């Protein structure tokens, strides 16, 4: 039975290589989700090919909607709003989702909500337990490495950010250097699981700032493998993956601890967001840290760490409550920094 006061949001995600549509009730109760991944196709090319991605989104999005509606046993008429990832990501993919959302919004006369992909990763945590503010959000994704204080919905203060490469980017680069197949991050983790920490790599930014810097570590991996190659030596891929992962993850955990130490008693919980939160070593080390620090931690289950529309429908709920709607002039944006301060918006 659909109750009038409940809010059903249909979310659409197509910013990379997953075409996904979901319906979520009241920002946290998943009704149904369909995710169609293109991973096997892009794996043939060693990475996401933007033109192929957007063509596949175009070909599949209607079918994904049909499948979702069948699973949800609902019609588009029954939802209260249409939300879509409008930034950041591959422009061609974003365009498909945004134009599709506009058509649904127009035809079914539903408000349109433009949701940021990173908001999605953050609000995926609502599927586990409702966010409790103020909280410390650790955002570790392909484009972000951030420690953020959230005092309320869409209210944040950046405590630390990356000075150069994002952590996901580093995992992907290291995967390429090691010659591992796409997708990079998960494969570095797989190799790391079978290796030992036997290489010497520099620790990133050994100071008390909450900012991150991973480019030195990344370059060290690149240089080391080139040097070994030039000397005709084979790199021990498993060990190098393990050494890199240990150092990168330990740095993230150290900075998270620093943030907790520098803001004693300020946070009700720590939440983790972004694709890199799928990393098992990071998950277990953060859980250990929060246990020691006696603070609640929330990390989304693995299926909500990778790209999905469930998280977009969750993140759109506070926007719906605020009446933060878009009109048909909404444009997809390949780049847009999420944590803008209020006066920049
Ligand atoms: O959050 P996300 O979808 O990126 C952005 O939205 O920007 O995350 C994708 C990133 C990729 O860099 C991918 O390699 C990384 O998350 N990733 C991982 C793992 N799974 C995905 N990195 C390390 N270990 C993993 N298991
Ligand atoms: Zn993502």
């Amino acid at each position: 039975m659909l109750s009038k006061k409940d809010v059903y949001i249909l979310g659409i995600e197509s910013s990379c290589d997953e075409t996904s549509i979901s319906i979520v009730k009241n920002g946290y109760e998943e009704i149904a989700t369909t995710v169609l991944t293109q991973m096997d196709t892009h794996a043939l090319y060693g990475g996401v090919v933007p033109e192929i991605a957007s063509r596949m989104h175009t070909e599949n999005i209607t079918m994904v909607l049909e499948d979702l509606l069948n699973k949800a046993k609902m019609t588009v008429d029954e939802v209260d709003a249409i939300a879509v990832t409008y930034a950041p990501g591959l422009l061609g993919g974003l365009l498909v989702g945004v134009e599709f959302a506009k058509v649904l919004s127009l035809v079914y006369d539903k408000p349109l909500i433009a949701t940021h992909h990173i908001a999605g990763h953050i609000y995926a945590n609502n599927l586990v337990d409702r966010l409790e503010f103020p909280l410390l959000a650790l955002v570790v994704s392909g484009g972000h490495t951030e420690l953020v204080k959230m005092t309320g919905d869409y209210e944040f203060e950046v405590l630390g950010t990356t000075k150069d490469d994002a952590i996901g980017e580093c995992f992907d680069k290291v995967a390429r250097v090691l010659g591992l197949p796409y997708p990079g991050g998960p494969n570095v983790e797989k190799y790391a699981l079978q290796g030992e920490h036997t290489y010497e790599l520099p620790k990133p930014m050994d100071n008390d700032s909450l900012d991150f810097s991973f480019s030195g570590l990344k370059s060290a991996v690149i240089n080391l493998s080139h040097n070994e190659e030039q000397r005709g030596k084979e790199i021990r891929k498993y060990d190098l993956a393990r050494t890199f992962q240990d150092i990168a993850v330990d740095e993230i955990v150290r900075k998270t601890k620093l943030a907790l130490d520098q803001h004693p008693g300020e946070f009700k919980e720590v939440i983790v967001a972004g694709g890199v939160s799928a990393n098992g070593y990071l998950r277990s080390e953060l859980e250990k840290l929060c246990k020691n620090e006696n603070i609640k931690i929330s990390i989304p289950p693995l299926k909500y760490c990778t790209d999905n529309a469930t998280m977009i429908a969750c993140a759109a709920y506070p926007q719906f409550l605020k009446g933060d709607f878009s009109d048909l002039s909404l444009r997809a944006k390949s780049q847009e920094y999420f944590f803008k301060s209020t006066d920049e918006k």
Side-chain angles (χ1 to χ4, degrees), residues 10 24 34 46 61 74 87 96 119 125 137 139 149 156 182 190 219-220 228 236 275 294 310 318 323 329:
L10 182 141
V24 173
T34 298
I61 199 160
M74 285 177 72
V96 176
N125 283 287
V139 183
K149 175 179 174 177
F156 29 68
Y182 169 83
K190 264 190 214 151
S219 304
E228 296 289 82
R236 302 184 306 279
N294 205 13
T310 329
S329 66

Side-chain angles (χ1 to χ4, degrees), residues 117 121 307 311:
H117 186 80
H121 279 299
D307 290 347
M311 66 185 198

